[in-house]
Amino acid sequence: MKIIKGFLKVIMAGIVSVVIISGLLCFYSITPVHEENLKGNTDYVWPANSIWINATEGISCGQYDANGFNNIAVIDNPDIIILGSSHMEATNVMQDENAPYLLARKLNGKHSLYNMGISGHNFFKICQYIPKNLELYDKSPKIVVLETSIVDILKRNVDEVISSSVEHTPSHSAGIIGALQKIPFFRTLYHQVGGGLLKLFMPDSNSAIAKADGDIETAEKTTEVKSDIDIVAYEELFSYLKNLEEIYETQIIILYHPTEKLMDDGSIYFDRNEYLNAFNFYSNEYGISFIDMTDRFETMYYEENHVAHGFCTGQIATGHLNKYGHAAVADELYNEIMKLEEAGEL
């Protein structure tokens, strides 16, 4: 009997702990459970009109729109759509601080804009979904913005885009898994485990040796790869994008935001590598608008003392775009849109 009572006490203590921690997490991190996107223009969407709160990286809160995207409201038949990853979904900043919102405000009603950035959707995935997004509307948007932090293009990536076989992210919004995800404690625990929490308790005995040798090996591999640009991959990707422009009578703008590294001497470093050169060359070759934020971010650091990524609640110059990065992105997108308009391409 004592064993049963003890066991019940442990269970009750666990339940109370989960309730208390979940209550605290309501002020720290609330992420809804995403759902399969039945329209097929992204892997998933967030529940309509659901609320999110984030203090894990940045301090922000907001509400998704009726379609499950991070907008103040749904825009029907927009002139401009923005496709991208969690950087464009932008739940790390307030809704009135993200690039799509700031860009729409700068356009001042001249062109309507709708943001369909969604976490986990990298450049190749959003390229795959361009046709599905354009086919949502009676008339194709004038502009499609593609956000990327990737400029290294491989043939297998392009093959997956063209064949619509980029790895799909499933939604587990039903059943016991869906129910557990709705409890803040278990949802946070799931993300922590997925983010490598278990590695803290299962150290690799060879990690020290691997780390000692890893820098040299990585440097050699990087040099080897950089001298072997996959030209066919770039040609096929940009041919695919140009073909979509012509079929749907739209303009594609690719926005590249590089990561930065703060150096010990106080300077900032951006990797202007051969992949970036190739990406820039082929975008020009195929007439695809390309915005490289490297110079803008570098100027912002030296003249305004701001970095584009990172938050005081996390690590500076690491992670998602912050409000300064979003403001810079909005400015450069606005300038490019005005150039296209002046050239009579809109």
Side-chain angles (χ1 to χ4, degrees), residues 108-128:
N108 195 27
K110 197 171 189 178
H111 300 291
S112 58
L113 180 150
Y114 191 59
N115 176 25
M116 288 188 279
I118 201 89
S119 296
H121 286 54
N122 65 19
F123 179 62
F124 304 113
K125 186 167 287 190
I126 64 175
C127 284
Q128 169 184 283

Side-chain angles (χ1 to χ4, degrees), residues 8 57 65-66 70 80 90 101 135 170 176 194 196 202 247 265-266 281 288 295 318 322 328:
L8 290 174
E57 184 191 5
D65 64 26
N70 186 16
I80 302 168
Y101 179 92
E135 290 164 5
I176 188 169
M202 295 185 297
I247 291 173
D265 63 0
F281 173 81
I288 304 290
D295 290 342
T318 299
N322 55 35

Side-chain angles (χ1 to χ4, degrees), residues 42-59:
T42 56
D43 284 357
Y44 61 83
V45 290
W46 301 103
N49 304 311
S50 57
I51 293 172
W52 49 268
I53 294 175
N54 179 38
T56 59
E57 184 191 5
I59 299 175

Side-chain angles (χ1 to χ4, degrees), residues 17-84:
S17 298
V18 168
V19 171
I20 292 173
I21 294 173
S22 294
L24 294 173
L25 286 172
C26 287
F27 301 95
Y28 180 65
S29 176
I30 292 181
T31 305
V33 182
H34 59 69
E35 305 168 345
E36 193 76 17
N37 186 354
L38 300 180
K39 294 180 180 178
N41 60 308
T42 56
D43 284 357
Y44 61 83
V45 290
W46 301 103
N49 304 311
S50 57
I51 293 172
W52 49 268
I53 294 175
N54 179 38
T56 59
E57 184 191 5
I59 299 175
S60 58
C61 62
Q63 185 174 6
Y64 295 109
D65 64 26
N67 288 336
F69 296 105
N70 186 16
N71 297 281
I72 301 296
V74 173
I75 303 294
D76 295 320
N77 297 309
D79 297 321
I80 302 168
I81 59 173
I82 295 184
L83 309 179

